[in-house]
């Protein structure tokens, strides 16, 4: 076999492959054997039909077609390996010449990862928000904890903001009660916004035993997105009573003996959260600066696949779970379809560039992923997917996604290398020293960038 590579553009090549006919012998033998098992000829046992009879009865062309289909992936793969190409997706194959007994010539056009030159990134400088925890922040945190320990007691008065009411609801669309539009004994805190739009106004001022009717757009169920007439009956009104802010509350709500100790712990927790946010912000801004330094051509087909993948995931997974369609989602977001398409394309381009650049850094810095790092990442991904580590691991193995997870961890380590070499200052001008533990957040930040690119990287066999 002989092959030659022609570069069509920075992300696409054409392979020209010449195969001497004698190298098709194994595929021809396999073709005759396969046809033997599929057909019957009177006078011959199944599987024992001579090749010349198959040629006469079914045509030599059918045998050659079967043999070529069998041989193409092998010779294509050999040519790719010989040229040391990093291909993306399936090639477009064109058989240019097939002479029985002489030669098989074909071309294969395929996208390839572009060659990327990583410049010196040690001079990257970014600014992040300073870590500041105010007394107001602590007050808010303690108040949220206090809300969790609020007690309720029934009252004989009209419902008001902050009360907990028990409701029976009935929803009608076009005058018909919906099968899934009836609910009883629903507990709801007025002002929380956790139920239908308009319910707060409807029940405020209503005493136990009273009713109210309002119109609202349904958020879920069989009539999601439709206007419904909702009748709500208040069966109980209960006032919420917050515990006093004292040492007794601290002992009730925490492991601390005094309110002062509880507030100190709240400060520490808020500082840790802001430190996490600061590290994430630093990683995002360092990545943006890095991408500005590198010229990264993006394969057109890969970009189209990535855009389609993102749209599909949004429409059929995320929005589906919320009972929304794309049109309603755009209405809520206040975006046009054109704006959505533009934002999706920009995100896809950034995701592909991020993966290409970080993968190149993995090679440049010779970064490896050990079993402990992979296990830790798997456990984090399992938690974010609401699955047990064993369930997630089984799904990953069965789906052939272990290389994808390894790539996520490796790219996280690559970005961590760049972040460590960058100068990160906060808005107060103080230099920030990011701990190595923030590498975990870096891995998560790069793990969902390019699902289509990950998939295409493993699909390099031609379709004849």
């Amino acid at each position: 076999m002989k092959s030659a590579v022609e570069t069509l553009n920075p992300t696409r090549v054409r392979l020209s492959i010449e195969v001497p006919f004698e190298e098709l012998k194994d595929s021809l033998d396999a073709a005759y054997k396969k046809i033997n098992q599929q057909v019957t000829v009177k006078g011959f046992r199944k599987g024992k039909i001579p090749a010349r009879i198959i040629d006469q009865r079914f045509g030599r062309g059918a045998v050659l077609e079967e043999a070529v289909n069998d041989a193409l992936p092998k010779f294509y793969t050999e040519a790719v390996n010989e040229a040391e190409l990093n291909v993306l997706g399936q090639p477009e194959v064109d058989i240019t010449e097939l002479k029985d007994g002489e030669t098989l010539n074909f071309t294969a056009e395929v996208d390839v990862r572009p060659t990327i030159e990583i410049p010196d990134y040690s001079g990257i400088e970014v600014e992040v928000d300073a870590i500041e925890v105010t007394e107001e922040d602590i007050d808010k945190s303690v108040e949220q904890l206090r809300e969790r320990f609020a007690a309720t007691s029934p009252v004989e008065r009209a419902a008001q903001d902050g009360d907990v009411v028990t409701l029976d609801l009935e929803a009608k669309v076009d005058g018909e009660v919906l099968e899934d539009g009836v609910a009883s004994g629903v507990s709801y805190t007025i002002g929380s916004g956790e139920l239908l739009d308009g319910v707060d106004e409807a029940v405020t001022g209503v005493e136990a035993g009273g009713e109210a009717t309002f119109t609202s757009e349904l958020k879920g169920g069989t009539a999601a997105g439709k206007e419904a007439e909702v009748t709500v009956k208040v069966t109980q009104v209960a006032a919420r009573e917050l515990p006093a802010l004292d040492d007794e509350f601290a002992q009730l709500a925490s492991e601390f003996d005094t309110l002062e100790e509880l507030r100190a712990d709240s400060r520490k927790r808020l500082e840790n959260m802001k430190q996490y946010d600061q590290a994430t912000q630093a990683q995002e801004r360092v990545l943006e600066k890095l991408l500005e330094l590198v010229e990264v051509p993006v394969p057109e087909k890969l970009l189209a696949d990535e855009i389609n993948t993102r749209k599909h995931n949004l429409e059929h997974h995320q929005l589906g779970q919320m009972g929304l369609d794309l049109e309603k989602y755009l209405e809520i977001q206040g975006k046009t379809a054109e704006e959505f398409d533009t934002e999706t394309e920009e995100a896809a381009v950034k995701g592909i560039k991020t993966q290409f650049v970080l993968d190149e850094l993995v090679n440049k810095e010779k970064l490896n992923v050990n079993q402990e790092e992979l296990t830790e990442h798997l456990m984090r991904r399992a938690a974010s997917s609401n699955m047990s580590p064993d369930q997630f691991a089984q799904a990953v193995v069965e789906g052939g996604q272990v290389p994808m997870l390894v790539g996520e961890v490796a790219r996280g380590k690559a970005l961590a290398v760049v972040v460590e070499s960058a100068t990160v200052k906060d808005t107060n001008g103080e230099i920030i020293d990011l701990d190595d533990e923030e590498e975990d957040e870096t891995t998560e930040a790069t793990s969902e960038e390019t699902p289509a690119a990950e998939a295409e990287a493993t699909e390099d066999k031609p379709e004849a």
Side-chain angles (χ1 to χ4, degrees), residues 131-144:
I131 296 176
E132 297 177 357
V133 177
T134 65
E135 289 300 312
E136 289 75 15
D137 293 332
I138 299 172
D139 290 343
K140 184 178 179 181
S141 175
V142 173
E143 190 63 23
Q144 289 174 344

Side-chain angles (χ1 to χ4, degrees), residues 39-45 49 53-54 57-58:
V39 301
T40 57
V41 175
K42 189 175 181 180
F44 296 94
R45 287 182 296 164
I49 307 170
I53 300 300
I54 290 177
R57 297 291 297 270
F58 305 102

Side-chain angles (χ1 to χ4, degrees), residues 401-431:
Q401 294 181 318
V402 173
M404 183 184 73
L405 288 189
V406 173
E408 291 174 358
V409 178
R411 284 189 287 276
K413 295 179 71 171
L415 182 53
V417 169
V418 183
V419 172
E420 288 170 9
S421 70
T423 300
V424 181
K425 295 182 180 179
D426 66 18
T427 50
N428 294 328
E430 297 290 331
I431 294 180

Side-chain angles (χ1 to χ4, degrees), residues 175-194:
E176 297 291 331
V177 178
L178 300 172
E179 290 185 8
D180 55 353
V182 179
S184 301
V186 177
S187 180
Y188 175 67
T189 301
I190 299 177
S192 67
E194 296 175 351

